[in-house]
Amino acid sequence: MGAGHGHVLYRESDSPVHRLPPEVKIVAMVVFTLAVVATPREAFWAFGAYAVLVAVVAALARVGPRWLLSRALIELPFVLFAVALPFLGSGDRVEVLGLRLSEDGLHGAWNILAKGTLGVLASLLLAATTTTRDLIVGLDRLHCPQVLTQIATFMLRYLDVLVGEARRMRVARISRGDDPRFLWQLRGFAAGIGALFLRAFERGERVYLAMLSRGYTGRMPAMWQGEGAASAGQWLVAATVPVLAASIAATAVVLS
């Protein structure tokens, strides 16, 4: 799986965040997210501090706010659910802009919006500064179960191959008069999906046998763990954001 197999969220750059080893970025993102989740929803100042940390990391990574906000729309279903909470919640009611809204529902909506948005932005920054291969390497260095990293590696490595195969099969169907827009041709579409599955299975078996013939033992190459592993200094640099986030969360819990 070469370095060229990136993903649509990755942004090529030579920023300080891009140069950090993937394992330290993964740990930093997870600890930051846990700190955000552990923060009481009434500590509004804490979420403002988290947003400042995200903005600073985005600036260091040279990721623009427009790019982040446009990709953050993935949380739109949760936003719609949060908007409904003040109307559906129970308990005491308060008047906001002439509407009688649930006080617990307002706090719940704020809790979902603030924590969900910060978590999504942190994940987007990780994806924007780390290639798919490096993410898997980082998980492997963090001793993630080998089965999971291998499945992810093969899936990402051959996803483009399967997409290309599906595209060629679709062109072949259309050239023979098939039109998948009509409901009565759904049977042919289902048959194509089955054929694609069989081709993928056969291709995977051939690839696996070829790997065994080249000495594959069921584990990732040892060089992945040693080459470019994080130094103590890089761990200290990457720990800045999660340590600050944990401090903010602890202060918010004490003050609440």
Side-chain angles (χ1 to χ4, degrees), residues 92-166:
D92 297 335
R93 295 276 171 170
V94 294
E95 186 170 345
V96 179
L97 299 177
L99 299 175
R100 299 286 295 175
L101 303 178
S102 169
E103 187 173 356
D104 289 339
L106 286 172
H107 280 101
W110 160 253
N111 192 51
I112 293 175
L113 287 175
K115 296 181 178 180
T117 301
L118 289 169
V120 168
L121 292 178
S123 301
L124 286 173
L125 284 176
L126 175 64
T129 58
T130 314
T131 63
T132 303
R133 176 191 180 277
D134 287 342
L135 284 174
I136 297 175
V137 170
L139 291 174
D140 197 58
R141 290 174 182 168
L142 293 172
H143 303 289
C144 182
Q146 283 283 327
V147 174
L148 297 181
T149 54
Q150 290 178 57
I151 291 174
T153 300
F154 294 141
M155 179 188 71
L156 295 170
R157 174 63 181 84
Y158 293 102
L159 185 61
D160 291 339
V161 176
L162 293 179
V163 170
E165 190 75 25

Side-chain angles (χ1 to χ4, degrees), residues 42-53:
E42 295 82 7
F44 301 106
W45 64 269
F47 295 104
Y50 294 140
V52 171
L53 289 178

Side-chain angles (χ1 to χ4, degrees), residues 60-86:
L60 291 174
R62 301 167 190 167
V63 178
R66 178 179 298 179
W67 185 91
L68 276 176
L69 294 177
S70 62
R71 270 65 179 182
L73 292 177
I74 191 175
E75 66 167 342
L76 188 59
F78 301 97
V79 173
L80 297 177
F81 174 74
V83 170
L85 283 180

Side-chain angles (χ1 to χ4, degrees), residues 10 14 60 70 130 167 185 236 242 249:
Y10 179 70
D14 191 32
L60 291 174
S70 62
T130 314
R167 187 179 296 113
Q185 294 179 327
L236 289 175

Side-chain angles (χ1 to χ4, degrees), residues 228-254:
S231 63
Q234 290 172 321
W235 277 107
L236 289 175
V237 171
T240 304
V241 171
V243 167
L244 289 175
S247 302
I248 294 170
T251 304
V253 170
V254 171

Side-chain angles (χ1 to χ4, degrees), residues 147-227:
V147 174
L148 297 181
T149 54
Q150 290 178 57
I151 291 174
T153 300
F154 294 141
M155 179 188 71
L156 295 170
R157 174 63 181 84
Y158 293 102
L159 185 61
D160 291 339
V161 176
L162 293 179
V163 170
E165 190 75 25
R167 187 179 296 113
R168 288 190 294 270
M169 291 175 62
R170 180 178 181 274
V171 171
R173 290 200 318 270
I174 293 176
S175 65
R176 289 167 174 80
D178 180 63
D179 192 344
R181 294 177 298 175
F182 295 107
L183 184 61
W184 58 81
Q185 294 179 327
L186 186 61
R187 180 179 178 181
F189 176 78
I193 295 295
L196 179 62
F197 171 77
L198 292 177
R199 290 189 183 185
F201 183 82
E202 293 173 354
R203 184 188 293 268
E205 188 175 15
R206 292 196 301 270
V207 170
Y208 179 70
L209 293 175
M211 293 171 62
L212 289 179
S213 67
R214 289 166 174 80
Y216 178 68
T217 60
R219 296 187 60 85
M220 291 294 182
M223 66 171 62
W224 280 29
Q225 295 186 356
E227 181 184 358

